């Protein structure tokens, strides 16, 4: 019997087994082929989503809840002509169809409100027909418009969360009764994905609820004039080129830091957020002869049953040789509670606990000396301004997050003091003692002072910038497109 005949007879005899094996092989091939096709399809879909949400944007500088000047992008462009960048203000908000409209009442409790200028639309694969938004006009992403059931020309009620420069849970931060602002806006157009309608920094397959508004109008509504918190840029200058441009062009003022002088000859660095961040403090303390200061509000200053409530105090600028258990008081306090040098005073003040609650503490201190009211004028003029405190006429109108006794706020003597002397500190402690009592997680300093004979305003800013890196202040770009592609893969 030939070998071929033997093979054929064997195949015929085991035909059922071979048929099953063939079918199994075909099924496995089909599954593998389908998986590969599906994988390619998913990869392409994820890539398309990444392209749609970013358009021509390759890099982003996102400072989140920390704001900077909206001129930052213009400074980058001026430094490097290859750079194409735009500054945005992004806030959380709520959108709804207004009551009494034609359609059903729909509401989105969390939308991304983006304050943009026409330069932002240069990053879109397809530009909107008219990129200029009016004061109360909006572009909606397709998903937002569909969820609300609105079209171009319809009205939408837009509520935007306000953001204070000082963190809301920080000591002495203002607590407004209404932290949102509501406006009736008109839908100018509904944007598709290729028009950046689904713009987002997050690598998410679900399109965000986007509402685009005029940046200047949003800044006005949110009390953030001239500020932004996001810069986007294309690939032309590259990541290194963008970060190099920041390093060469940024200023302290752009991130809410300022250096100011006083006729006394002092110059000091301070922050719009009141408390200086650790990086700025570190840079300032590297310079010769710094004088750190901390301003706070204590609950009471008392002696032998007499006290004065809710008093501004300061740590740092005391007389040479004063011990940490000693304080200087002004003449008004001395007269009010009958204190003289050598007397023991009791300070009551709130400390912010890790659980974000205020716990009242007490400390006994000794009067080092009593100074006339004129001697405190410098401290009043250099003290930081607290929204909800410094800008109100009556103590009873103070509006901050600390628990406050309304009866004590109405204290007549203290009210008279506020009307005559305003934010003039009633007491000065050493910086070490003040830091132990009134420092908190938001910062231990409200200013650092220097002798103006050694530092002019420009030289002080230059010296501080030399000790700071933009990245340490949250001013650095990330490769957004590269990250999106990596997430898709």
């Amino acid at each position: 019997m030939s070998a071929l005949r033997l093979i054929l007879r064997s195949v015929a005899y085991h035909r059922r087994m071979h048929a099953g094996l063939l079918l199994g092989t075909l099924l496995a091939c089909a599954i593998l082929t389908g998986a590969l096709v599906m994988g390619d399809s998913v990869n392409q879909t994820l890539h398309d989503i990444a392209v749609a949400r970013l358009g021509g944007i390759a890099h982003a500088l996102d400072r989140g809840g920390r704001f900077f000047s909206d001129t930052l992008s213009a400074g980058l462009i001026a430094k490097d002509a290859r750079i194409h960048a735009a500054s945005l203000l992004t806030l959380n908000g709520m959108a709804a169809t207004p009551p009494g409209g034609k359609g059903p009442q729909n509401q989105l409790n969390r939308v991304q409100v983006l304050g943009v200028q026409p330069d932002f639309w240069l990053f879109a694969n397809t530009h909107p027909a008219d990129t200029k938004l009016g004061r109360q006009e909006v572009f909606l992403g397709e998903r937002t418009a569909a969820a609300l059931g609105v079209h171009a020309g319809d009205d939408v009620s837009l509520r935007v969360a306000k953001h204070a420069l000082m963190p809301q849970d920080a000591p002495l931060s203002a607590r407004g009764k209404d932290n949102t602002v509501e406006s009736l806006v008109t839908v100018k157009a509904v944007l598709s994905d290729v028009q950046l309608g689904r713009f987002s920094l997050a690598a998410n397959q679900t399109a965000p609820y986007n509402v685009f508004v005029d940046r200047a109008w949003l800044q006005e509504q949110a009390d953030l004039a001239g500020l932004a918190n996001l810069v986007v840029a294309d690939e032309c200058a590259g990541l290194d080129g963008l970060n190099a441009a920041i390093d060469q062009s940024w200023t302290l003022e752009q991130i809410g830091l300022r250096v100011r002088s006083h006729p006394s000859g002092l110059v000091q660095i301070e922050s719009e957020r009141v408390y200086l961040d650790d990086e700025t403090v570190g840079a300032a303390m590297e310079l010769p002869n710094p004088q750190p200061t901390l301003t706070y509000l204590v609950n009471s200053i008392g002696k032998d049953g007499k006290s004065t409530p809710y008093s501004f105090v300061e740590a740092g600028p005391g007389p040479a040789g004063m011990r940490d258990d000693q304080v200087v008081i002004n003449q008004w306090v001395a007269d009010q509670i009958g204190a003289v040098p050598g007397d023991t005073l009791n300070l009551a003040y709130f400390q912010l606990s890790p659980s974000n609650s205020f716990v009242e503490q007490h400390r006994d201190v000794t009067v080092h000396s009593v100074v006339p009211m004129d001697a405190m004028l410098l401290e009043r003029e250099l003290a930081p301004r607290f929204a909800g405190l410094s800008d109100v006429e009556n103590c009873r109108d103070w509006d901050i997050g600390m628990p406050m006794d309304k009866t004590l706020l109405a204290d007549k003597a203290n009210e008279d003091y506020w009307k005559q002397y305003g934010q003039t500190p009633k007491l000065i402690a050493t910086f070490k003692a003040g830091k132990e009592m009134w420092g908190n997680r938001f910062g231990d300093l409200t200013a650092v002072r220097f002798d103006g004979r050694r530092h002019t305003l420009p030289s002080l800013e230059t010296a501080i910038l030399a000790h700071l890196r933009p990245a340490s202040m949250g001013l650095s770009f990330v490769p957004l497109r590269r990250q999106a592609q990596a997430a898709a893969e």
Side-chain angles (χ1 to χ4, degrees):
M1 183 182 292
S2 66
L4 178 60
R5 186 178 180 81
L6 180 62
I7 292 172
L8 292 174
R9 290 185 67 180
S10 175
V11 169
Y13 183 78
H14 296 288
R15 60 186 178 277
R16 293 183 178 179
M17 182 180 67
H18 290 309
L21 181 62
L22 178 61
L23 289 174
T25 302
L26 292 174
L27 180 60
C29 289
I31 292 172
L32 288 172
T33 302
L36 291 172
V37 171
M38 183 63 71
D40 287 341
S41 176
V42 170
N43 285 342
Q44 185 61 45
T45 299
L46 293 175
H47 178 269
D48 291 345
I49 290 174
V51 170
R53 71 180 177 86
L54 295 179
I57 296 169
H59 306 288
L61 185 161
D62 180 18
R63 213 162 179 238
R66 300 285 297 274
F67 301 96
F68 49 79
S69 170
D70 59 19
T71 63
L72 185 64
S73 57
L76 301 178
I77 295 170
K79 185 59 64 175
D80 188 337
R82 298 173 300 165
I83 293 176
H84 300 90
S87 294
L88 289 75
L89 176 60
T90 66
L91 301 174
N92 293 325
M94 183 179 72
T97 51
K102 300 177 182 179
Q105 186 75 31
N106 297 318
Q107 179 172 303
L108 296 174
N109 293 325
R110 187 173 181 84
V111 299
Q112 181 176 230
V113 184
L114 301 113
V116 300
Q117 292 288 281
D119 56 1
F120 173 73
W121 303 111
L122 298 176
F123 297 102
N125 295 322
T126 301
H127 301 170
D130 182 2
T131 59
K132 179 63 178 176
L133 284 164
R135 286 179 55 79
Q136 289 182 262
E137 292 181 330
V138 300
F139 291 147
L140 298 183
E142 285 181 329
R143 184 170 183 240
T144 310
L148 292 174
V150 297
H151 305 85
D154 292 340
D155 289 335
V156 171
S157 177
L158 181 65
R159 183 177 290 274
V160 179
K162 290 185 176 182
H163 277 251
L165 297 179
M166 187 177 180
Q168 285 285 299
D169 49 351
L172 306 188
S173 63
R175 296 292 198 274
K177 294 180 181 178
D178 187 2
N179 292 322
T180 63
V181 57
E182 185 174 13
S183 303
L184 188 66
V185 297
T186 301
V187 180
K188 185 173 184 178
V190 176
L191 304 184
S192 65
D193 290 355
V194 295
Q195 295 174 303
L196 279 179
R198 70 177 299 155
F199 168 73
S200 175
L201 299 182
N204 196 325
Q205 297 180 44
T206 304
Y209 293 118
N210 280 342
V211 179
F212 299 90
V213 302
D214 176 65
R215 189 183 69 198
W217 179 78
L218 182 60
Q219 290 169 337
E220 178 184 313
Q221 295 298 299
D223 295 331
L224 295 171
L227 298 179
N229 56 0
L230 174 65
V231 177
V232 294
D234 63 11
E235 189 64 77
C236 292
L239 185 63
D240 292 340
L242 286 166
N243 287 327
I246 289 180
D247 192 38
Q248 297 166 16
S249 65
W250 77 296
T251 65
L252 296 179
E253 186 177 0
Q254 286 179 326
I255 60 170
L257 297 172
R258 57 178 175 265
V259 178
R260 65 167 169 141
S261 62
H262 187 268
S264 65
L266 290 175
V267 294
Q268 74 175 20
I269 181 170
E270 53 196 25
S271 172
E272 290 181 351
R273 291 168 58 88
V274 178
Y275 293 101
L276 293 172
D277 54 76
D278 292 341
E279 291 77 13
T280 304
V281 171
M285 298 302 287
E286 288 288 329
L287 304 182
N289 302 317
Q291 184 185 69
T293 64
L294 171 63
T295 299
Y296 201 69
L297 183 77
V298 300
N299 298 344
S300 67
I301 303 171
K303 170 185 173 291
D304 297 335
K306 295 182 178 181
S307 66
T308 177
Y310 300 127
S311 306
F312 276 99
V313 294
E314 192 165 8
M322 186 171 73
R323 301 192 311 267
D324 294 330
D325 62 344
Q326 293 179 315
V327 296
V328 172
I329 60 174
N330 66 32
Q331 189 63 56
W332 186 92
V333 175
D335 294 340
Q336 187 72 16
I337 63 176
V340 297
D343 283 351
T344 298
L345 308 181
N346 180 262
L347 303 182
Y349 54 92
F350 279 128
Q351 280 189 341
L352 185 63
S353 70
S355 63
N356 216 38
S357 60
F358 288 99
V359 179
E360 187 171 73
Q361 305 287 351
H362 294 263
R363 177 177 292 198
D364 288 335
V365 293
T366 302
V367 178
H368 172 276
S369 54
V370 177
V371 297
M373 297 306 297
D374 290 347
M376 288 290 194
L377 181 61
L378 172 67
E379 306 309 326
R380 174 179 177 175
E381 294 175 345
L382 288 177
R385 313 306 292 171
F386 297 94
L389 281 175
S390 307
D391 52 356
V392 298
E393 295 182 359
N394 302 297
C395 297
R396 59 180 177 272
D397 295 329
W398 285 355
D399 179 23
I400 58 175
M402 287 182 176
M404 305 194 86
D405 187 318
K406 292 184 179 180
T407 303
L408 295 179
L409 283 174
D411 180 82
K412 186 180 185 308
N414 205 43
E415 187 73 47
D416 291 342
Y417 180 93
W418 180 253
K419 290 180 179 179
Q420 183 173 359
Y421 300 111
Q423 203 172 310
T424 304
K426 295 180 184 178
L427 176 149
I428 293 178
T430 66
F431 178 70
K432 180 181 178 182
K435 180 178 178 181
E436 291 174 356
M437 291 186 284
W438 312 317
N440 58 83
R441 68 172 180 272
F442 296 97
D444 298 325
L445 283 78
T446 51
V448 181
R449 299 175 184 174
F450 299 90
D451 186 343
R453 293 170 297 182
R454 303 190 62 173
H455 294 283
T456 62
L457 292 185
S459 69
L460 180 58
E461 179 167 359
T462 300
I464 291 175
L465 283 171
H467 288 84
L468 284 175
R469 297 274 67 83
S472 69
M473 307 301 293
L475 295 180
S476 63
F477 281 88
V478 296
L480 199 60
R481 179 175 294 278
R482 192 187 311 161
Q483 291 177 353
Q485 292 171 343
E489 293 171 1

